[in-house]
Amino acid sequence: MNSKYETVIGLEIHAELATESKLFCRCKVGFGAEANTQTCPICLGMPGVLPVLNERALEYTIRAALALNCEIPPYSKFDRKNYFYPDLPKGYQISQLHLPFSQNGYVEFDLERERKKVGITRVHLEEDAGKLVHTGVSNSSNMSYVDFNRSCIPLIEIVGEPDLRSPAEAIAYMRAVKEILEYVGVSHCNMEQGQLRADLNVSLRPRGSSEYGTRTEVKNMNSFRSILAALEYEVERQAQVLDSGGSVEQETLLFDEERGITMSMRNKEEAHDYRYFPEPDLVPFEIDATWVEQLRSDLPELPLQRRERLQREYGLSADDALALAATRQMADYYEACVSLSGQAKECANWVRGDLSALLNETGQTIELCRATPQHLADMLSLIQSGAISGKIAKTVLEKMFHTGRDAKSIVEAEGLTQISDEDQIAAIIDDVIDSHPGPADDVRNGRLKAIGFLVGQVMKATQGKANPRLVNELLRAKLLG
Amino acid sequence: MELFRLTAHELHDKLRAGEITSVEITQSVLERINAVDSKIQAYVTVVEELALEQARIVDVHLRDGDPLPLLAGIPVSLKDLICTKGIPTTCSSRILQDFVPPYDATVAQKLNDQQIVMLGKLNMDEFAMGSSTENSAFMVTRNPWDLERIPGGSSGGAAAAIAADAAICALGSDTGGSIRQPAALCGIVGMKPTYGRVSRYGLVAFASSLDQIGPLTKDVTDCAWMLNAICGHDPMDSTSVNLPVPDFTQSLVQDIEDLRIGIPDEYFIEGMESDVERRVREAIAELEGLGAQVVRVSLPHSEYAVATYYIIAPAEASANLARYDGVRYGFRAEETTDLIDMYKKTRSKGFGSEVKRRIMLGTYALSSGFYDAYYLKAQKVRTLIKQDFDEAFEQVDVIVAPTSPTGAFKIGEKVDDPLQMYLSDILTIPANLAGLPGISIPCGLTLQNLPVGLQIVGKPFDEETVLRTAYTYEQNTDHHKQRPTLE
Ligand SMILES: [Zn+2]
């Protein structure tokens, strides 16, 4: 990284809202439907049709905006953004330019233990376009088809201030925004399905300078990996241009994932004149302040606050809080476990550790997890009472996870109960000492390290069911008097 | 009896008295179309079989004594920019020549609910852009009063058909006078309701903030009947207003005693034909004689109305017409090399010259660097024009003026002079900019035997006073009974 320059990054994040129907018509929204089956005259831009705002989309926009600390002006309207492209059925996109539903917000997040604050210029609502599908080998067929299923799906555009100073910071910011949108439940943010995309504005300036350099914009990025790669590439490229005495050209770029480079899509001269003007088919909106306050008070606790509370209330480490509050559902699950079991630290270990591993392995989400907080709490109380060992508990959790059965019935059915009967354990210990006289003598002669080996043999003989604490005690008593 | 000569309410009475059937009415009008439409060229599409089928169904209900809506069995024709499911809707444009909507406009649905008989679709200036119907891509409609003259526009097909008795009632659209001006030039009744009174869903948009659907009829009673059928809030149109709709037939009373009528000085402009002014002044005197109080009012920003309109309407049109790109429906040029070439050739060949002129005007007015000077300025002037009316309506109940400064002009007379053509709407445009209801009713003929229209403009959502004034005038004069001789 070139240290002569300061990196300046601003993101425009587009998030698809998780409404059941589209923004201006009543078509259902759903991923993976057959092409053009989720369409109607309105989202196909037929002659004479008119848009009618989906109130739920407005509500989601305001919720997102409030979660991003934005102001909600009392008066707002839509504008037409004019350009020609086959995926844009009306020849204009209904968007917001002059009076968006919200403005002047900010996002806070932690990066490497440091609190960052990034300004949000505005959050506005607009409609998505369709999707082009190209078929055939390029030299044998040049047909393009359009799928309008995505046309008119509600999108919010979150325009961030150029407050980001490194690609890593940009990624952390985008993750923070994604978490917030997921927390308030307005978007599924599935990046593979294109529900969360970003345009990246990048410029460099000499360190200490207060003026911005010429920026480039990398369009339509939808994975953290490629965003990071594109930002790093673009920062390096601009630094090289500046180092060689050149100047950065203001242009719109596309990122070629395979080659890992950005390529020019259009330069400043070719930039579109979108000829924005107020959308006459939709009357301006007066936003009721009481309603906004209602939405504000209905907001759930947001990721940052939740992490702070988890640390405060349950004495968790910053790392534990970061992981456990990654989604609202995960944090809810964790807190349910704690309230049922009273064991904050143990819950954190199990949820972050074994349970998260199982979720990752199976690609499941915590909401659909068959091992419920009650199951987990029951399991913890079995450990606490000594009925099962921590090691056995791992097996129990796995079985709970896959079958949805409770801990007790698994332990009983599989005969996993811990052996805590002293006579039974003593008999096994005698067998082990008999068959391993060497290590036994070592212990007798004060080389206590060998105890571990003998404990292991007892556990092995009981398939892990012997109470390890008892085994240890009895062994010592027997060998050391 | 020549049923085609009657009004909707006269036909209704005969239908309900069992004197005639809907099939007889429909056949009579269809025969009239066959007889005269080769001369006036009002219809783009006639749906004869559908019409007769619908008429037969109404006749069965009549025979069975079923309760029926007022307009049941009455033939109605629509300007060809109102979408009709399964019936071509062309906007008189090559680009939509073969377009058959898979949906009905809300007004078409409302008329279907009335069980009207759908006769066909009427010629117009392409995409409603024009004042003479000469901008149709298909044919020039003739004025039934003089076949060498234009019928006005853009709802020229509708006005000519009504005047020629080739339709009983029609719906048109009025963006800058497109119902009232042709109604005036063809000697019939045409009304533009308040913006927001009638749903625009399914009306192919020209200028969204100005367009409004309204009836063209033979008399004021039919106009009220049609308004009752089409007005009302529509959840499919956010700009339609959620206000209760009165029963407009209640306004069909002769009572203008003490009604305050405003006469705007600015509407008797230079260049107005003297015969037109004479007829309108006589009509005002008539209204005064019927008990109205005549007051001079001023609408000082009227002189900017045409300029304002020709920024706002083309700006909106430039976006509204962007969807005709050859991708999904309508005309697509063949033998194109790439996407841009397809767009260019499709739109160059698909649109006529006036439409292209207005798309360019609007595109220019919205361009970066010009927006404030043109579009924004025009919106400000529009507000001033509205305020003029607000102030005038503090003193008066309706405003009365000529509808058009001239009678029907000759075909071809103004085609090469768009600015002259634009001035045809100088007296109707202000009501669109202010969103007000306005009607044009016949008030006599010029010395050349051409109709003159009297325009009555009301307060927002006060169609009732407009209708009452028009009805009172009509019932005390015979102008609405005069018909051109076509034979
Ligand atoms: Zn749709």
Side-chain angles (χ1 to χ4, degrees):
Chain A
M1 180 82 51
N2 198 310
S3 62
K4 273 198 299 193
Y5 306 110
E6 185 179 35
T7 301
V8 176
I9 298 170
L11 300 192
E12 287 164 26
I13 298 175
H14 294 264
E16 240 179 44
L17 295 181
T19 50
E20 277 175 32
S21 56
K22 292 185 176 183
L23 182 52
F24 297 122
C25 63
R26 291 175 188 169
C27 288
K28 286 262 163 286
V29 174
F31 186 75
E34 199 184 317
N36 293 312
T37 54
Q38 292 173 330
T39 58
C40 72
I42 296 171
C43 55
L44 288 173
M46 304 282 266
V49 300
L50 296 170
V52 173
L53 180 69
N54 176 347
E55 299 276 341
R56 185 52 63 91
L58 172 59
E59 182 195 318
Y60 279 18
T61 306
I62 304 291
R63 255 159 73 179
L66 289 171
L68 296 166
N69 303 298
C70 288
E71 298 162 6
I72 313 295
Y75 184 82
S76 191
K77 66 178 175 56
F78 283 99
D79 296 290
R80 290 186 183 178
K81 177 181 180 179
N82 297 285
Y83 66 96
F84 283 95
Y85 204 63
D87 67 4
L88 189 70
K90 296 187 295 295
Y92 58 84
Q93 179 194 30
I94 303 179
S95 181
Q96 297 192 289
L97 179 69
H98 291 299
L99 294 167
F101 284 123
S102 69
Q103 59 202 21
N104 297 335
Y106 62 88
V107 172
E108 284 186 301
F109 57 94
D110 291 335
L111 178 62
E112 288 162 3
R113 322 241 159 204
E114 212 183 305
R115 180 64 45 96
K116 303 275 179 187
K117 184 171 174 177
V118 173
I120 303 280
T121 319
R122 56 196 279 150
V123 178
H124 73 244
L125 180 58
E126 62 187 24
E127 57 179 337
D128 209 343
K131 214 159 45 183
L132 284 193
V133 184
H134 305 281
T135 60
V137 194
S138 52
N139 54 4
S140 71
S141 158
N142 54 0
M143 287 301 283
S144 293
Y145 298 86
V146 200
D147 176 5
F148 288 104
N149 284 351
R150 206 179 67 180
S151 166
C152 202
I153 286 181
L155 281 183
I156 47 172
E157 181 170 338
I158 302 163
V159 182
E161 292 286 308
D163 290 346
L164 302 159
R165 292 294 172 264
S166 71
E169 217 171 283
I171 295 289
Y173 161 75
M174 179 130 171
R175 281 193 197 283
V177 170
K178 178 172 183 279
E179 277 177 0
I180 290 170
L181 296 179
E182 288 168 340
Y183 258 66
V184 294
V186 300
S187 173
H188 298 308
C189 293
N190 185 323
M191 295 177 81
E192 277 163 35
Q193 293 177 9
Q195 290 169 347
L196 191 72
R197 329 193 272 268
D199 298 338
L200 324 169
N201 290 287
V202 188
S203 66
L204 300 185
R205 62 181 172 192
R207 272 192 196 285
S209 163
S210 60
E211 270 168 47
Y212 293 125
T214 306
R215 67 182 167 88
T216 57
E217 182 180 19
V218 190
K219 280 278 187 200
N220 220 2
M221 306 292 295
N222 67 349
S223 81
F224 285 116
R225 188 172 40 80
S226 50
I227 291 172
L228 188 64
L231 286 173
E232 282 173 347
Y233 176 84
E234 193 50 23
V235 167
E236 193 51 40
R237 185 189 71 83
Q238 290 190 15
Q240 279 174 19
V241 169
L242 296 174
D243 278 344
S244 62
S247 54
V248 173
E249 225 189 294
Q250 185 181 331
E251 55 188 343
T252 305
L253 305 168
L254 282 178
F255 184 62
D256 181 329
E257 302 230 11
E258 268 171 42
R259 293 196 285 162
I261 59 170
T262 57
M263 292 180 313
S264 183
M265 192 168 129
R266 52 179 180 259
N267 62 29
K268 196 179 171 186
E269 282 69 39
E270 295 160 336
H272 288 138
D273 177 357
Y274 290 118
R275 305 189 310 279
Y276 280 98
F277 75 102
E279 166 57 277
D281 286 332
L282 291 163
V283 288
F285 296 85
E286 280 177 38
I287 308 295
D288 178 30
T290 330
W291 179 60
V292 171
E293 285 321 303
Q294 182 61 48
L295 291 178
R296 192 195 302 278
S297 64
D298 289 348
L299 279 185
E301 192 178 23
L302 296 174
L304 201 65
Q305 287 70 43
R306 189 145 200 185
R307 285 183 177 121
E308 283 169 351
R309 186 171 59 78
L310 290 182
Q311 283 181 255
R312 201 171 57 237
E313 256 175 49
Y314 304 117
L316 295 183
S317 68
D319 277 353
D320 277 347
L322 189 72
L324 289 171
T327 68
R328 186 170 114 193
Q329 289 75 16
M330 179 70 90
D332 286 347
Y333 184 95
Y334 168 73
E335 290 206 74
C337 291
V338 176
S339 83
L340 290 165
S341 71
Q343 304 182 48
K345 184 61 194 163
E346 283 73 12
C347 286
N349 291 343
W350 282 100
V351 174
R352 266 197 83 181
D354 290 66
L355 185 64
S356 291
L358 286 166
L359 290 170
N360 281 342
E361 260 168 46
T362 55
Q364 266 192 50
T365 55
I366 191 92
E367 310 84 289
L368 299 174
C369 181
R370 300 183 72 181
T372 64
Q374 185 63 56
H375 292 159
L376 196 83
D378 291 348
M379 186 191 89
L380 290 175
S381 79
L382 289 177
I383 299 174
Q384 202 176 31
S385 71
I388 56 170
S389 65
K391 194 163 177 198
I392 290 291
K394 284 173 180 287
T395 316
V396 173
L397 177 63
E398 206 178 321
K399 290 191 192 295
M400 292 195 305
F401 183 87
H402 290 298
T403 65
R405 284 156 61 208
D406 66 81
K408 204 164 176 198
S409 65
I410 289 169
V411 167
E412 276 166 11
E414 316 256 329
L416 296 173
T417 316
Q418 186 160 261
I419 302 168
S420 296
D421 180 282
E422 293 196 14
D423 294 343
Q424 205 184 336
I425 293 176
I428 297 163
I429 286 178
D430 289 343
D431 286 348
V432 166
I433 291 174
D434 284 350
S435 34
H436 299 93
D441 283 341
D442 285 350
V443 176
R444 287 190 189 100
N445 297 329
R447 288 194 287 277
L448 296 180
K449 262 191 176 173
I451 282 193
F453 171 78
L454 294 171
V455 170
Q457 292 306 308
V458 175
M459 296 308 286
K460 195 174 165 189
T462 58
Q463 287 122 43
K465 288 185 281 184
N467 181 328
R469 186 180 46 81
L470 267 182
V471 173
N472 221 301
E473 272 175 31
L474 292 174
L475 259 174
R476 282 171 186 266
K478 222 156 231 174
L479 296 171
L480 300 171
Chain B
M1 194 193 331
E2 292 178 318
L3 294 177
F4 60 81
R5 295 208 189 273
L6 303 184
T7 62
H9 60 93
E10 288 163 348
L11 291 167
H12 166 269
D13 293 348
K14 291 186 184 300
L15 264 182
R16 298 306 164 96
E19 292 170 29
I20 54 169
T21 64
S22 175
V23 168
E24 284 166 6
I25 301 171
T26 306
Q27 271 167 343
S28 168
V29 184
L30 285 169
E31 279 162 23
R32 177 67 172 176
I33 293 171
N34 276 336
V36 301
D37 202 45
S38 57
K39 291 183 205 157
I40 59 166
Q41 311 219 70
Y43 280 88
V44 176
T45 305
V46 178
V47 284
E48 187 168 339
E49 278 174 35
L50 174 72
L52 288 167
E53 182 56 33
Q54 288 175 330
R56 264 180 229 117
I57 292 169
V58 171
D59 284 338
V60 169
H61 287 302
L62 279 168
R63 213 161 34 236
D64 295 349
D66 295 338
L68 283 169
L70 220 50
L71 285 168
I74 307 294
V76 177
S77 312
L78 303 181
K79 186 179 183 180
D80 208 16
L81 48 33
I82 294 170
C83 286
T84 39
K85 188 174 180 176
I87 303 172
T89 300
T90 69
C91 297
S92 290
S93 178
R94 185 183 300 178
I95 214 156
L96 285 178
Q97 190 159 4
D98 301 315
F99 178 67
V100 181
Y103 47 92
D104 269 323
T106 298
V107 290
Q109 184 56 52
K110 280 174 174 276
L111 290 176
N112 286 337
D113 294 345
Q114 285 277 321
Q115 292 177 256
I116 59 101
V117 171
M118 170 65 64
L119 266 192
K121 307 297 287 288
L122 296 159
N123 197 29
M124 53 187 278
D125 285 300
E126 183 178 7
F127 283 103
M129 297 178 187
S131 310
S132 67
T133 315
E134 290 165 291
N135 295 332
S136 165
F138 308 141
M139 61 211 174
V140 176
T141 299
R142 313 271 164 158
N143 191 315
W145 291 84
D146 179 349
L147 297 177
E148 299 300 307
R149 291 177 187 268
I150 57 96
S154 65
S155 310
I162 299 287
D165 291 316
I168 305 298
C169 296
L171 287 184
S173 66
D174 191 315
T175 307
S178 282
I179 290 173
R180 289 160 291 154
Q181 184 257 19
L185 270 43
C186 289
I188 60 155
V189 175
M191 181 156 189
K192 177 196 100 71
T194 311
Y195 184 81
R197 188 59 113 174
V198 181
S199 168
R200 293 186 296 115
Y201 186 82
L203 167 72
V204 179
F206 159 19
S208 314
S209 74
L210 300 159
D211 296 342
Q212 189 65 187
I213 295 172
L216 294 99
T217 55
K218 295 178 182 180
D219 67 9
V220 176
T221 303
D222 279 7
C223 179
W225 283 33
M226 287 293 280
L227 283 183
N228 273 356
I230 62 170
C231 288
H233 174 65
D234 178 10
M236 299 288 278
D237 176 1
S238 310
T239 65
S240 87
V241 175
N242 201 350
L243 277 179
V245 181
D247 174 2
F248 292 112
T249 60
Q250 298 296 312
S251 305
L252 301 175
V253 288
Q254 292 187 49
D255 177 17
I256 55 168
E257 199 75 39
D258 295 327
L259 191 82
R260 294 165 306 164
I261 292 179
I263 313 297
D265 293 340
E266 293 84 357
Y267 277 51
F268 292 85
I269 53 170
E270 215 171 299
M272 174 171 288
E273 278 177 19
S274 54
D275 279 3
V276 169
E277 176 159 2
R278 197 168 302 131
R279 294 289 93 85
V280 171
R281 298 268 187 214
E282 285 165 12
I284 292 165
E286 177 79 31
L287 288 168
E288 199 168 13
L290 291 164
Q293 212 181 309
V294 173
V295 183
R296 273 177 70 182
V297 293
S298 177
L299 300 167
H301 295 93
S302 299
E303 61 172 309
Y304 306 112
V306 172
T308 303
Y309 176 85
Y310 277 98
I311 298 294
I312 292 172
E316 292 178 5
S318 71
N320 283 332
L321 272 64
R323 68 190 62 195
Y324 310 111
D325 56 6
V327 173
R328 286 146 298 128
Y329 51 78
F331 170 77
R332 179 196 289 179
E334 280 165 19
E335 288 171 24
T336 55
T337 53
D338 58 19
L339 179 65
I340 300 297
D341 192 46
M342 183 188 94
Y343 282 155
K344 282 185 179 167
K345 288 191 175 134
T346 297
R347 290 168 65 82
S348 298
K349 292 178 180 170
F351 290 134
S353 58
E354 181 60 26
V355 171
K356 282 184 275 196
R357 179 181 294 123
R358 296 203 196 183
I359 289 173
M360 285 191 287
L361 272 175
T363 304
Y364 183 80
L366 291 173
S367 296
S368 147
F370 299 102
Y371 180 85
D372 289 2
Y374 293 110
Y375 188 79
L376 209 58
K377 186 77 154 253
Q379 289 293 8
K380 286 177 185 162
V381 179
R382 184 176 185 174
T383 305
L384 295 175
I385 289 170
K386 257 185 216 161
Q387 286 169 358
D388 280 358
F389 279 105
D390 289 346
E391 281 165 29
F393 281 125
E394 282 172 15
Q395 306 166 48
V396 298
D397 302 301
V398 290
I399 286 169
V400 170
T403 307
S404 164
T406 68
F409 44 89
K410 287 254 168 73
I411 289 167
E413 192 180 323
K414 297 185 182 177
V415 272
D416 296 327
D417 190 348
L419 286 181
Q420 254 335 95
M421 187 74 93
Y422 294 172
L423 290 175
S424 300
D425 293 329
I426 190 165
L427 305 177
T428 44
I429 281 172
N432 296 84
L433 291 170
L436 303 172
I439 198 169
S440 179
I441 55 172
C443 67
L445 301 174
T446 64
L447 291 176
Q448 289 166 295
N449 213 37
L450 295 171
V452 175
L454 181 73
Q455 184 176 208
I456 305 164
V457 175
K459 297 174 187 173
F461 299 99
D462 188 16
E463 285 82 4
E464 291 163 282
T465 308
V466 173
L467 286 170
R468 185 154 54 90
T469 313
Y471 183 76
T472 305
Y473 177 81
E474 180 189 86
Q475 293 303 305
N476 289 280
T477 56
D478 278 334
H479 306 304
H480 65 291
K481 292 182 182 151
Q482 291 183 297
R483 282 283 168 274
T485 42
L486 264 171
E487 284 68 34

Coordinates of all heavy atoms in Angstrom, one line a residue, chain B residues 15-16 22 26 51 53-62 66-76 107-118 229:
Chain B
L15 N -85.8 2.6 -25.0 CA -85.5 1.2 -24.7 C -86.3 0.7 -23.5 O -86.9 -0.4 -23.6 CB -84.0 1.2 -24.2 CG -82.9 0.8 -25.2 CD1 -81.6 0.8 -24.5 CD2 -83.2 -0.6 -25.8
R16 N -86.4 1.6 -22.5 CA -87.1 1.1 -21.3 C -88.6 1.1 -21.5 O -89.3 0.3 -20.9 CB -86.8 2.1 -20.1 CG -85.4 2.1 -19.8 CD -84.8 0.7 -19.5 NE -83.4 0.7 -19.5 CZ -82.6 0.8 -18.4 NH1 -83.1 0.9 -17.2 NH2 -81.3 0.8 -18.5
S22 N -81.8 -2.7 -28.1 CA -80.4 -2.2 -28.2 C -79.8 -2.7 -29.5 O -79.0 -1.9 -30.1 CB -79.6 -2.8 -27.0 OG -78.3 -2.5 -27.2
T26 N -78.0 -0.3 -32.1 CA -76.6 -0.6 -32.5 C -76.5 -0.7 -34.1 O -75.6 -0.2 -34.7 CB -76.1 -1.9 -31.8 OG1 -76.3 -1.7 -30.4 CG2 -74.7 -2.2 -32.1
A51 N -70.2 -5.5 -30.8 CA -71.2 -4.5 -30.4 C -72.6 -5.2 -30.5 O -73.4 -5.1 -29.5 CB -71.2 -3.4 -31.4
E53 N -73.3 -8.4 -30.3 CA -73.4 -9.4 -29.2 C -73.7 -8.8 -27.9 O -74.6 -9.2 -27.2 CB -72.0 -10.1 -29.1 CG -71.9 -11.2 -28.1 CD -73.0 -12.3 -28.4 OE1 -73.4 -12.5 -29.5 OE2 -73.5 -12.9 -27.3
Q54 N -73.1 -7.6 -27.6 CA -73.3 -6.9 -26.3 C -74.8 -6.4 -26.3 O -75.5 -6.5 -25.3 CB -72.4 -5.8 -26.1 CG -70.9 -6.3 -25.8 CD -69.9 -5.1 -25.7 OE1 -70.1 -4.1 -26.4 NE2 -68.9 -5.3 -24.9
A55 N -75.2 -5.9 -27.5 CA -76.6 -5.4 -27.6 C -77.6 -6.5 -27.3 O -78.6 -6.3 -26.6 CB -76.8 -4.8 -28.9
R56 N -77.3 -7.7 -27.9 CA -78.2 -8.8 -27.7 C -78.4 -9.2 -26.3 O -79.5 -9.5 -25.8 CB -77.7 -10.0 -28.5 CG -78.3 -10.2 -29.9 CD -77.8 -11.4 -30.6 NE -77.3 -11.0 -32.0 CZ -76.1 -11.0 -32.4 NH1 -75.1 -11.5 -31.7 NH2 -75.9 -10.6 -33.7
I57 N -77.3 -9.2 -25.6 CA -77.3 -9.6 -24.1 C -78.2 -8.6 -23.4 O -79.0 -9.0 -22.5 CB -75.9 -9.6 -23.6 CG1 -75.1 -10.8 -24.2 CG2 -75.9 -9.7 -22.0 CD1 -73.6 -10.8 -23.9
V58 N -78.0 -7.3 -23.6 CA -78.8 -6.3 -23.0 C -80.3 -6.5 -23.3 O -81.1 -6.4 -22.4 CB -78.3 -4.8 -23.4 CG1 -79.3 -3.8 -22.8 CG2 -76.9 -4.6 -22.8
D59 N -80.6 -6.8 -24.5 CA -82.0 -7.0 -24.9 C -82.6 -8.2 -24.2 O -83.8 -8.1 -23.8 CB -82.1 -7.2 -26.4 CG -81.9 -5.9 -27.2 OD1 -82.1 -4.9 -26.6 OD2 -81.5 -6.0 -28.4
V60 N -81.8 -9.2 -23.9 CA -82.3 -10.4 -23.1 C -82.7 -9.9 -21.7 O -83.8 -10.2 -21.2 CB -81.3 -11.5 -23.1 CG1 -81.7 -12.5 -22.1 CG2 -81.1 -12.1 -24.5
H61 N -81.8 -9.1 -21.1 CA -82.1 -8.6 -19.8 C -83.3 -7.7 -19.8 O -84.1 -7.7 -18.9 CB -80.9 -7.8 -19.3 CG -79.7 -8.6 -18.9 ND1 -79.8 -9.6 -17.9 CD2 -78.4 -8.7 -19.3 CE1 -78.6 -10.3 -17.8 NE2 -77.8 -9.7 -18.7
L62 N -83.4 -6.9 -20.8 CA -84.6 -6.0 -20.9 C -85.8 -6.8 -21.0 O -86.8 -6.5 -20.3 CB -84.4 -5.1 -22.1 CG -83.5 -3.8 -22.0 CD1 -83.3 -3.2 -23.3 CD2 -84.2 -2.8 -21.0
D66 N -84.8 -7.5 -16.0 CA -83.8 -7.3 -15.0 C -83.4 -5.9 -14.8 O -83.5 -5.1 -15.7 CB -82.5 -8.1 -15.6 CG -82.7 -9.6 -15.7 OD1 -83.6 -10.1 -15.0 OD2 -82.0 -10.2 -16.5
P67 N -83.0 -5.6 -13.6 CA -82.5 -4.2 -13.4 C -81.2 -3.9 -14.1 O -80.4 -4.8 -14.2 CB -82.3 -4.2 -11.8 CG -82.1 -5.6 -11.4 CD -82.9 -6.4 -12.4
L68 N -81.2 -2.8 -14.8 CA -80.0 -2.5 -15.6 C -79.5 -1.0 -15.3 O -80.3 -0.2 -15.0 CB -80.4 -2.5 -17.1 CG -80.5 -3.9 -17.7 CD1 -81.2 -3.8 -19.1 CD2 -79.2 -4.6 -17.8
P69 N -78.2 -0.8 -15.5 CA -77.7 0.5 -15.3 C -78.3 1.5 -16.4 O -78.7 1.0 -17.4 CB -76.2 0.4 -15.5 CG -75.9 -1.1 -15.4 CD -77.2 -1.8 -15.8
L70 N -78.1 2.8 -16.1 CA -78.7 3.8 -17.0 C -78.3 3.7 -18.4 O -79.1 3.8 -19.3 CB -78.3 5.2 -16.4 CG -79.3 6.3 -16.4 CD1 -80.6 5.9 -15.8 CD2 -78.7 7.5 -15.7
L71 N -77.0 3.4 -18.6 CA -76.4 3.5 -20.0 C -76.5 2.1 -20.7 O -76.0 2.0 -21.8 CB -75.0 4.0 -20.0 CG -74.8 5.5 -19.8 CD1 -73.4 5.8 -19.5 CD2 -75.3 6.3 -21.0
A72 N -77.1 1.1 -20.1 CA -77.1 -0.2 -20.6 C -77.7 -0.2 -22.0 O -78.8 0.4 -22.3 CB -77.9 -1.1 -19.7
G73 N -77.0 -0.8 -23.0 CA -77.6 -0.9 -24.3 C -77.3 0.3 -25.2 O -77.7 0.3 -26.4
I74 N -76.6 1.3 -24.7 CA -76.3 2.5 -25.5 C -74.9 2.4 -26.1 O -74.0 2.1 -25.4 CB -76.4 3.8 -24.6 CG1 -77.7 3.9 -23.8 CG2 -76.1 5.0 -25.4 CD1 -78.9 4.1 -24.6
P75 N -74.8 2.6 -27.4 CA -73.5 2.5 -28.0 C -72.5 3.6 -27.6 O -73.0 4.8 -27.5 CB -73.8 2.6 -29.5 CG -75.2 2.3 -29.6 CD -75.9 2.8 -28.4
V76 N -71.3 3.2 -27.2 CA -70.3 4.2 -26.9 C -69.1 3.9 -27.7 O -68.7 2.7 -27.9 CB -70.0 4.2 -25.3 CG1 -68.9 5.2 -25.0 CG2 -71.3 4.5 -24.5
V107 N -61.8 3.3 -17.0 CA -63.1 3.9 -17.6 C -63.7 2.8 -18.5 O -65.0 2.8 -18.6 CB -62.9 5.2 -18.4 CG1 -62.5 6.3 -17.4 CG2 -61.8 5.1 -19.5
A108 N -62.9 2.1 -19.2 CA -63.5 1.0 -20.1 C -64.2 0.0 -19.2 O -65.4 -0.5 -19.6 CB -62.5 0.4 -21.0
Q109 N -63.6 -0.4 -18.1 CA -64.2 -1.3 -17.2 C -65.5 -0.7 -16.6 O -66.5 -1.4 -16.5 CB -63.2 -1.6 -16.1 CG -63.7 -2.7 -15.1 CD -64.1 -4.0 -15.8 OE1 -63.3 -4.5 -16.5 NE2 -65.3 -4.4 -15.5
K110 N -65.5 0.6 -16.3 CA -66.7 1.2 -15.7 C -67.8 1.2 -16.7 O -69.0 1.0 -16.4 CB -66.4 2.6 -15.2 CG -65.7 2.7 -13.9 CD -65.3 4.1 -13.6 CE -64.8 4.2 -12.1 NZ -65.8 4.4 -11.1
L111 N -67.5 1.4 -18.0 CA -68.5 1.4 -19.1 C -69.0 0.0 -19.3 O -70.2 -0.2 -19.5 CB -67.9 2.0 -20.4 CG -67.7 3.5 -20.4 CD1 -67.0 3.9 -21.7 CD2 -69.0 4.3 -20.1
N112 N -68.1 -1.0 -19.2 CA -68.6 -2.4 -19.3 C -69.6 -2.7 -18.1 O -70.6 -3.4 -18.3 CB -67.4 -3.3 -19.2 CG -66.6 -3.3 -20.5 OD1 -67.2 -3.0 -21.6 ND2 -65.4 -3.7 -20.5
D113 N -69.2 -2.2 -16.9 CA -70.1 -2.4 -15.8 C -71.5 -1.8 -16.1 O -72.5 -2.2 -15.6 CB -69.6 -1.8 -14.5 CG -68.3 -2.5 -14.1 OD1 -68.0 -3.6 -14.6 OD2 -67.5 -1.9 -13.3
Q114 N -71.5 -0.7 -16.9 CA -72.8 -0.1 -17.2 C -73.5 -0.8 -18.3 O -74.6 -0.5 -18.8 CB -72.5 1.4 -17.8 CG -72.2 2.4 -16.7 CD -73.4 2.9 -16.0 OE1 -74.4 3.2 -16.7 NE2 -73.4 3.1 -14.7
Q115 N -72.8 -1.9 -18.9 CA -73.4 -2.7 -20.0 C -73.7 -1.8 -21.2 O -74.7 -2.0 -21.9 CB -74.6 -3.5 -19.5 CG -74.2 -4.5 -18.5 CD -75.4 -5.3 -18.0 OE1 -75.9 -5.0 -16.8 NE2 -76.0 -6.1 -18.8
I116 N -72.7 -0.9 -21.5 CA -72.8 -0.2 -22.7 C -72.5 -1.1 -23.9 O -72.0 -2.2 -23.7 CB -71.9 1.1 -22.7 CG1 -70.4 0.6 -22.6 CG2 -72.3 2.1 -21.7 CD1 -69.6 0.6 -23.8
V117 N -72.8 -0.6 -25.1 CA -72.4 -1.4 -26.3 C -71.1 -0.7 -26.9 O -71.2 0.5 -27.2 CB -73.5 -1.4 -27.3 CG1 -73.1 -2.0 -28.6 CG2 -74.7 -2.2 -26.8
M118 N -70.0 -1.5 -26.9 CA -68.8 -0.9 -27.4 C -68.8 -0.9 -28.9 O -68.9 -2.0 -29.5 CB -67.6 -1.7 -26.8 CG -66.3 -1.4 -27.5 SD -65.7 0.3 -27.1 CE -65.6 0.1 -25.3
A229 N -71.0 7.8 -15.0 CA -70.5 6.4 -15.2 C -69.0 6.3 -15.0 O -68.5 5.3 -14.6 CB -70.8 6.0 -16.7

